[in-house]
Amino acid sequence: MSDVTALLVHQERNPPPALLTALAREGVAVEVCTPDDALGSGGEEQPAPAAEVLLAPAVMPPRTVRAVSRRMSETGRTPIVVVYTERDFAAIDQHIKLGHDYLVPPFLPTLVRARLRSCYERAKLSRTMEEVEAQAELLSYERELRIGREIQEGFLPEGLPALDGWDLDVRFSPARNVAGDFYDVFEMVNRRRLALVVADVCDKGVGAALFMALIRSLLRHTAEYSGLQSLMTTHQPMPSADPGDGRPGGAHMIPVVGATPLMNAVVGTNGYLTRNHSGQGYFATMFFSVLDPATGNLVYINGGHNPPLLVPREGGEPHPLEPTGPAVGVIPDCAFSLGYARVRPGDTLFVYTDGVPEARNAQGEFFGDDRVLALLREPVSSGRALLARMEAALREHSGSAEQHDDITMLAVNRTVAPV
């Protein structure tokens, strides 16, 4: 057993000579120390002892033996515990009940070797079983994550609607197997309007993914149900200096179909989350808009989300669609306002989550809002082209660095009719 190391604990540093002789003959490397030294309480800062076998006197209380074993485990491996005694045989009983092995006189080399070999093989088998169980648990966990990913993918649209005069494209890249980001695009109000949703649930992983599924279901069900139940037209002031300009300016009254289901969906979801799930601490920033494909008019609620950017067809400075209320699921009975914009022929609406500006390179440098704006100032031919440009820039910036956050990008481009 020349490959075995042992820590032998004795109060006076004078363990049974016969035991030391037997261990030496078997080639066991032995370090002798006091209980205080083994526990690191001898008055000096001492590293945890490292050995495969812990030999402790039977008179040492089991609690102290466990403490020494735990400290030795800090080096990476839990030791085999064997207690020894020359005369106090009754003290062995309490250790046997805890699964510890024991050595008693005569400390003959052959007997010591047989006992230690038996302990070593049992411990090796136990570790093998623990490794098998850990591997099985890991495989089960990975299987559950895979199932969770498949279920989550079922909550995302299988494809984007094909609308005459519009080019829609999306990029969705989870940082882990499951994501807290989500997007949704669906028709509502008897297919007269198009709902566009991009949201980011706080945190990442399985918990955020569960809330993503809950929030997405609440939003879509309420919006679709409200749209079917009430096709009433609501009149709201639409900020616009010119009917063909989506920039803020003067106000005039225009009909806004879809504002009611939009408001119902966001307010209803916020109320449900704050009433039933405030204890979990999850919330979501979101941009939920309703588009009239015929006119390009857009009514939206921005609940604490990164302002989507309306990119002019001719290039230049994008126009942000600022928040109109807080994140959803934070404040009970809070007020959300409606925002308005217009997507002109050639314009592109770019909606994204904070994983875009917060993408990091190997040095920890963020991609940043300035890079996002710089990429959007250049004219683009389509939503697909815009996302390809953004995706390539993110890939070049991040390189081989690990992705820290989910990334979602949605581009809605109103195409220019050929002359």
Side-chain angles (χ1 to χ4, degrees):
M1 297 188 67
S2 58
D3 58 339
V4 177
T5 58
L7 179 71
L8 198 157
V9 180
H10 193 277
Q11 187 63 50
E12 305 298 333
R13 290 181 183 269
N14 56 348
L19 178 57
L20 286 177
T21 300
L23 292 169
R25 286 190 178 182
E26 292 305 316
V28 178
V30 180
E31 178 186 352
V32 180
C33 68
T34 66
D36 286 343
D37 291 337
L39 291 170
S41 55
E44 295 182 3
E45 191 68 28
Q46 297 175 328
E52 295 174 283
V53 179
L54 169 60
L55 290 164
V59 293
M60 181 183 288
R63 182 177 7 178
T64 306
V65 175
R66 285 196 299 268
V68 174
S69 177
R70 280 197 300 270
R71 188 160 187 265
M72 293 174 69
S73 299
E74 295 174 7
T75 61
R77 174 170 288 188
T78 302
I80 303 163
V81 178
V82 181
V83 296
Y84 65 88
T85 187
E86 289 184 285
R87 60 185 66 88
D88 204 343
F89 300 105
I92 294 177
D93 184 60
Q94 59 184 341
H95 292 281
I96 292 176
K97 291 178 180 177
L98 295 175
H100 300 162
D101 217 313
Y102 62 92
L103 284 169
V104 294
F107 297 121
L108 300 176
T110 53
L111 295 178
V112 171
R113 180 176 69 246
R115 178 66 76 180
L116 290 183
R117 176 61 66 185
S118 174
C119 294
Y120 188 75
E121 292 300 329
R122 284 205 306 274
K124 186 177 179 181
L125 177 61
S126 176
R127 289 187 186 121
T128 300
M129 292 302 297
E130 289 175 358
E131 290 172 359
V132 169
E133 290 174 0
Q135 183 66 22
E137 185 176 350
L138 178 61
L139 289 174
S140 176
Y141 177 68
E142 290 176 346
R143 178 176 176 273
E144 293 296 324
L145 278 181
R146 188 167 58 253
I147 293 172
R149 176 71 177 269
E150 292 171 357
I151 292 173
Q152 186 178 52
E153 287 175 350
F155 280 96
L156 299 175
E158 292 184 3
L160 300 178
L163 301 175
D164 290 339
W166 293 89
D167 172 40
L168 280 67
D169 201 13
V170 69
R171 296 290 188 277
F172 178 69
S173 177
R176 300 181 183 176
N177 281 335
V178 289
D181 278 13
F182 72 94
Y183 69 94
D184 204 0
V185 181
F186 58 95
E187 294 175 318
M188 51 185 286
V189 194
N190 280 358
R191 305 184 68 180
R192 294 163 57 188
R193 297 292 182 268
L194 188 68
L196 306 164
V197 185
V198 172
D200 183 0
V201 178
C202 72
D203 206 359
K204 294 179 286 294
V206 176
L210 290 172
F211 268 80
M212 163 264 172
L214 171 64
I215 294 171
R216 180 265 186 194
S217 298
L218 289 169
L219 287 172
R220 179 182 270 224
H221 173 77
T222 307
E224 290 181 331
Y225 180 79
S226 298
L228 290 173
Q229 290 296 311
S230 175
L231 295 178
M232 45 190 274
T233 299
T234 61
H235 290 78
Q236 300 283 348
M238 167 71 128
S240 178
D242 182 276
D245 187 357
R247 299 177 181 85
H252 59 273
M253 305 298 289
I254 64 170
V256 182
V257 176
T260 298
L262 167 62
M263 185 64 76
N264 287 347
V266 175
V267 171
T269 300
N270 182 73
Y272 180 88
L273 292 177
T274 54
R275 285 194 308 271
N276 298 286
H277 297 287
S278 58
Q280 282 81 19
Y282 285 97
F283 60 88
T285 67
M286 71 173 63
F287 178 79
F288 189 165
S289 62
V290 178
L291 172 69
D292 180 357
T295 65
N297 289 333
L298 193 78
V299 56
Y300 64 87
I301 290 177
N302 182 345
H305 198 73
N306 304 76
L309 297 162
L310 189 56
V311 184
R313 61 188 171 192
E314 65 276 8
E317 200 66 29
H319 306 295
L321 306 185
E322 299 290 351
T324 61
V328 175
V330 178
I331 305 172
D333 304 319
C334 65
F336 292 92
S337 301
L338 295 174
Y340 304 90
R342 186 176 179 213
V343 184
R344 302 172 304 165
D347 288 355
T348 303
L349 177 65
F350 178 66
V351 193
Y352 62 102
T353 58
D354 58 10
V356 175
E358 293 179 8
R360 305 178 197 176
N361 59 17
Q363 291 72 43
E365 179 188 8
F366 289 115
F367 188 72
D369 293 316
D370 290 343
R371 284 190 177 94
V372 173
L373 289 171
L375 289 166
L376 296 178
R377 289 188 185 105
E378 303 172 19
V380 292
S381 58
S382 67
R384 189 172 292 104
L386 173 59
L387 293 191
R389 176 196 297 172
M390 194 69 65
E391 194 173 38
L394 285 169
R395 188 164 50 246
E396 181 182 357
H397 173 78
S398 300
S400 60
E402 180 185 0
Q403 184 178 333
H404 290 275
D405 200 1
D406 307 324
I407 292 176
T408 303
M409 299 183 288
L410 173 68
V412 182
N413 171 253
R414 190 176 182 186
T415 57
V416 179
V419 180

PDB file of all heavy atoms in Angstrom, residues 355-372:
ATOM      1  N   GLY A 355     -29.378  42.404 -23.852  1.00  0.00           N
ATOM      2  CA  GLY A 355     -28.249  41.538 -24.184  1.00  0.00           C
ATOM      3  C   GLY A 355     -27.439  42.047 -25.356  1.00  0.00           C
ATOM      4  O   GLY A 355     -26.283  41.645 -25.534  1.00  0.00           O
ATOM      5  N   VAL A 356     -28.017  42.953 -26.161  1.00  0.00           N
ATOM      6  CA  VAL A 356     -27.288  43.513 -27.309  1.00  0.00           C
ATOM      7  C   VAL A 356     -26.237  44.518 -26.839  1.00  0.00           C
ATOM      8  O   VAL A 356     -25.039  44.312 -27.046  1.00  0.00           O
ATOM      9  CB  VAL A 356     -28.260  44.138 -28.334  1.00  0.00           C
ATOM     10  CG1 VAL A 356     -27.486  44.830 -29.457  1.00  0.00           C
ATOM     11  CG2 VAL A 356     -29.175  43.063 -28.911  1.00  0.00           C
ATOM     12  N   PRO A 357     -26.628  45.635 -26.191  1.00  0.00           N
ATOM     13  CA  PRO A 357     -25.588  46.586 -25.766  1.00  0.00           C
ATOM     14  C   PRO A 357     -24.680  46.034 -24.667  1.00  0.00           C
ATOM     15  O   PRO A 357     -23.563  46.512 -24.484  1.00  0.00           O
ATOM     16  CB  PRO A 357     -26.391  47.796 -25.264  1.00  0.00           C
ATOM     17  CG  PRO A 357     -27.727  47.253 -24.898  1.00  0.00           C
ATOM     18  CD  PRO A 357     -27.980  46.142 -25.864  1.00  0.00           C
ATOM     19  N   GLU A 358     -25.153  45.028 -23.922  1.00  0.00           N
ATOM     20  CA  GLU A 358     -24.359  44.486 -22.814  1.00  0.00           C
ATOM     21  C   GLU A 358     -23.546  43.261 -23.212  1.00  0.00           C
ATOM     22  O   GLU A 358     -22.966  42.597 -22.349  1.00  0.00           O
ATOM     23  CB  GLU A 358     -25.274  44.165 -21.638  1.00  0.00           C
ATOM     24  CG  GLU A 358     -25.883  45.414 -21.020  1.00  0.00           C
ATOM     25  CD  GLU A 358     -26.814  45.123 -19.862  1.00  0.00           C
ATOM     26  OE1 GLU A 358     -26.881  43.955 -19.423  1.00  0.00           O
ATOM     27  OE2 GLU A 358     -27.491  46.063 -19.393  1.00  0.00           O
ATOM     28  N   ALA A 359     -23.488  42.941 -24.492  1.00  0.00           N
ATOM     29  CA  ALA A 359     -22.615  41.862 -24.953  1.00  0.00           C
ATOM     30  C   ALA A 359     -21.163  42.258 -24.674  1.00  0.00           C
ATOM     31  O   ALA A 359     -20.763  43.401 -24.913  1.00  0.00           O
ATOM     32  CB  ALA A 359     -22.834  41.615 -26.443  1.00  0.00           C
ATOM     33  N   ARG A 360     -20.367  41.311 -24.164  1.00  0.00           N
ATOM     34  CA  ARG A 360     -18.991  41.626 -23.753  1.00  0.00           C
ATOM     35  C   ARG A 360     -17.975  40.885 -24.608  1.00  0.00           C
ATOM     36  O   ARG A 360     -18.241  39.797 -25.121  1.00  0.00           O
ATOM     37  CB  ARG A 360     -18.766  41.230 -22.290  1.00  0.00           C
ATOM     38  CG  ARG A 360     -19.752  41.839 -21.318  1.00  0.00           C
ATOM     39  CD  ARG A 360     -19.468  41.340 -19.918  1.00  0.00           C
ATOM     40  NE  ARG A 360     -20.595  41.568 -19.025  1.00  0.00           N
ATOM     41  CZ  ARG A 360     -20.643  41.156 -17.773  1.00  0.00           C
ATOM     42  NH1 ARG A 360     -19.636  40.473 -17.262  1.00  0.00           N
ATOM     43  NH2 ARG A 360     -21.704  41.400 -17.022  1.00  0.00           N
ATOM     44  N   ASN A 361     -16.798  41.474 -24.707  1.00  0.00           N
ATOM     45  CA  ASN A 361     -15.684  40.776 -25.343  1.00  0.00           C
ATOM     46  C   ASN A 361     -14.829  40.112 -24.265  1.00  0.00           C
ATOM     47  O   ASN A 361     -15.178  40.136 -23.080  1.00  0.00           O
ATOM     48  CB  ASN A 361     -14.868  41.729 -26.218  1.00  0.00           C
ATOM     49  CG  ASN A 361     -14.291  42.897 -25.420  1.00  0.00           C
ATOM     50  OD1 ASN A 361     -14.215  42.860 -24.186  1.00  0.00           O
ATOM     51  ND2 ASN A 361     -13.883  43.949 -26.125  1.00  0.00           N
ATOM     52  N   ALA A 362     -13.704  39.528 -24.658  1.00  0.00           N
ATOM     53  CA  ALA A 362     -12.861  38.794 -23.711  1.00  0.00           C
ATOM     54  C   ALA A 362     -12.293  39.702 -22.623  1.00  0.00           C
ATOM     55  O   ALA A 362     -11.957  39.233 -21.527  1.00  0.00           O
ATOM     56  CB  ALA A 362     -11.723  38.103 -24.467  1.00  0.00           C
ATOM     57  N   GLN A 363     -12.197  40.996 -22.902  1.00  0.00           N
ATOM     58  CA  GLN A 363     -11.678  41.945 -21.898  1.00  0.00           C
ATOM     59  C   GLN A 363     -12.782  42.511 -21.009  1.00  0.00           C
ATOM     60  O   GLN A 363     -12.512  43.351 -20.146  1.00  0.00           O
ATOM     61  CB  GLN A 363     -10.950  43.108 -22.598  1.00  0.00           C
ATOM     62  CG  GLN A 363      -9.641  42.709 -23.274  1.00  0.00           C
ATOM     63  CD  GLN A 363      -9.855  41.894 -24.530  1.00  0.00           C
ATOM     64  OE1 GLN A 363     -10.747  42.222 -25.331  1.00  0.00           O
ATOM     65  NE2 GLN A 363      -9.082  40.837 -24.713  1.00  0.00           N
ATOM     66  N   GLY A 364     -14.016  42.071 -21.210  1.00  0.00           N
ATOM     67  CA  GLY A 364     -15.129  42.550 -20.395  1.00  0.00           C
ATOM     68  C   GLY A 364     -15.741  43.845 -20.881  1.00  0.00           C
ATOM     69  O   GLY A 364     -16.593  44.425 -20.205  1.00  0.00           O
ATOM     70  N   GLU A 365     -15.338  44.318 -22.066  1.00  0.00           N
ATOM     71  CA  GLU A 365     -15.855  45.578 -22.601  1.00  0.00           C
ATOM     72  C   GLU A 365     -17.240  45.346 -23.213  1.00  0.00           C
ATOM     73  O   GLU A 365     -17.455  44.406 -23.980  1.00  0.00           O
ATOM     74  CB  GLU A 365     -14.907  46.118 -23.668  1.00  0.00           C
ATOM     75  CG  GLU A 365     -15.371  47.422 -24.299  1.00  0.00           C
ATOM     76  CD  GLU A 365     -14.513  47.823 -25.486  1.00  0.00           C
ATOM     77  OE1 GLU A 365     -13.657  47.020 -25.911  1.00  0.00           O
ATOM     78  OE2 GLU A 365     -14.718  48.942 -26.011  1.00  0.00           O
ATOM     79  N   PHE A 366     -18.202  46.227 -22.866  1.00  0.00           N
ATOM     80  CA  PHE A 366     -19.553  46.123 -23.411  1.00  0.00           C
ATOM     81  C   PHE A 366     -19.602  46.579 -24.869  1.00  0.00           C
ATOM     82  O   PHE A 366     -18.823  47.447 -25.292  1.00  0.00           O
ATOM     83  CB  PHE A 366     -20.535  46.968 -22.593  1.00  0.00           C
ATOM     84  CG  PHE A 366     -20.827  46.411 -21.226  1.00  0.00           C
ATOM     85  CD1 PHE A 366     -20.444  47.109 -20.087  1.00  0.00           C
ATOM     86  CD2 PHE A 366     -21.485  45.199 -21.070  1.00  0.00           C
ATOM     87  CE1 PHE A 366     -20.711  46.596 -18.817  1.00  0.00           C
ATOM     88  CE2 PHE A 366     -21.763  44.685 -19.819  1.00  0.00           C
ATOM     89  CZ  PHE A 366     -21.369  45.381 -18.687  1.00  0.00           C
ATOM     90  N   PHE A 367     -20.537  46.000 -25.610  1.00  0.00           N
ATOM     91  CA  PHE A 367     -20.785  46.446 -26.990  1.00  0.00           C
ATOM     92  C   PHE A 367     -21.245  47.899 -26.981  1.00  0.00           C
ATOM     93  O   PHE A 367     -20.761  48.710 -27.757  1.00  0.00           O
ATOM     94  CB  PHE A 367     -21.840  45.534 -27.629  1.00  0.00           C
ATOM     95  CG  PHE A 367     -22.040  45.762 -29.086  1.00  0.00           C
ATOM     96  CD1 PHE A 367     -21.084  45.376 -30.016  1.00  0.00           C
ATOM     97  CD2 PHE A 367     -23.207  46.363 -29.552  1.00  0.00           C
ATOM     98  CE1 PHE A 367     -21.270  45.587 -31.375  1.00  0.00           C
ATOM     99  CE2 PHE A 367     -23.407  46.575 -30.906  1.00  0.00           C
ATOM    100  CZ  PHE A 367     -22.438  46.187 -31.813  1.00  0.00           C
ATOM    101  N   GLY A 368     -22.196  48.214 -26.087  1.00  0.00           N
ATOM    102  CA  GLY A 368     -22.555  49.601 -25.828  1.00  0.00           C
ATOM    103  C   GLY A 368     -23.623  50.177 -26.744  1.00  0.00           C
ATOM    104  O   GLY A 368     -23.806  49.741 -27.886  1.00  0.00           O
ATOM    105  N   ASP A 369     -24.349  51.160 -26.219  1.00  0.00           N
ATOM    106  CA  ASP A 369     -25.407  51.826 -26.979  1.00  0.00           C
ATOM    107  C   ASP A 369     -24.861  52.619 -28.157  1.00  0.00           C
ATOM    108  O   ASP A 369     -25.518  52.739 -29.199  1.00  0.00           O
ATOM    109  CB  ASP A 369     -26.201  52.764 -26.058  1.00  0.00           C
ATOM    110  CG  ASP A 369     -26.986  52.003 -25.007  1.00  0.00           C
ATOM    111  OD1 ASP A 369     -27.613  50.982 -25.357  1.00  0.00           O
ATOM    112  OD2 ASP A 369     -26.984  52.425 -23.842  1.00  0.00           O
ATOM    113  N   ASP A 370     -23.671  53.174 -28.011  1.00  0.00           N
ATOM    114  CA  ASP A 370     -23.106  53.989 -29.098  1.00  0.00           C
ATOM    115  C   ASP A 370     -22.874  53.145 -30.345  1.00  0.00           C
ATOM    116  O   ASP A 370     -23.114  53.605 -31.474  1.00  0.00           O
ATOM    117  CB  ASP A 370     -21.794  54.632 -28.650  1.00  0.00           C
ATOM    118  CG  ASP A 370     -22.002  55.726 -27.614  1.00  0.00           C
ATOM    119  OD1 ASP A 370     -23.155  56.199 -27.498  1.00  0.00           O
ATOM    120  OD2 ASP A 370     -21.039  56.095 -26.918  1.00  0.00           O
ATOM    121  N   ARG A 371     -22.390  51.917 -30.171  1.00  0.00           N
ATOM    122  CA  ARG A 371     -22.180  51.042 -31.332  1.00  0.00           C
ATOM    123  C   ARG A 371     -23.520  50.683 -31.974  1.00  0.00           C
ATOM    124  O   ARG A 371     -23.618  50.610 -33.209  1.00  0.00           O
ATOM    125  CB  ARG A 371     -21.441  49.770 -30.914  1.00  0.00           C
ATOM    126  CG  ARG A 371     -19.949  49.942 -30.670  1.00  0.00           C
ATOM    127  CD  ARG A 371     -19.278  48.592 -30.507  1.00  0.00           C
ATOM    128  NE  ARG A 371     -17.839  48.703 -30.339  1.00  0.00           N
ATOM    129  CZ  ARG A 371     -17.223  48.745 -29.172  1.00  0.00           C
ATOM    130  NH1 ARG A 371     -17.936  48.699 -28.056  1.00  0.00           N
ATOM    131  NH2 ARG A 371     -15.903  48.838 -29.097  1.00  0.00           N
ATOM    132  N   VAL A 372     -24.540  50.448 -31.134  1.00  0.00           N
ATOM    133  CA  VAL A 372     -25.866  50.136 -31.671  1.00  0.00           C
ATOM    134  C   VAL A 372     -26.350  51.287 -32.540  1.00  0.00           C
ATOM    135  O   VAL A 372     -26.801  51.091 -33.682  1.00  0.00           O
ATOM    136  CB  VAL A 372     -26.869  49.852 -30.535  1.00  0.00           C
ATOM    137  CG1 VAL A 372     -28.287  49.691 -31.088  1.00  0.00           C
ATOM    138  CG2 VAL A 372     -26.465  48.597 -29.755  1.00  0.00           C
TER     139      VAL A 372
END
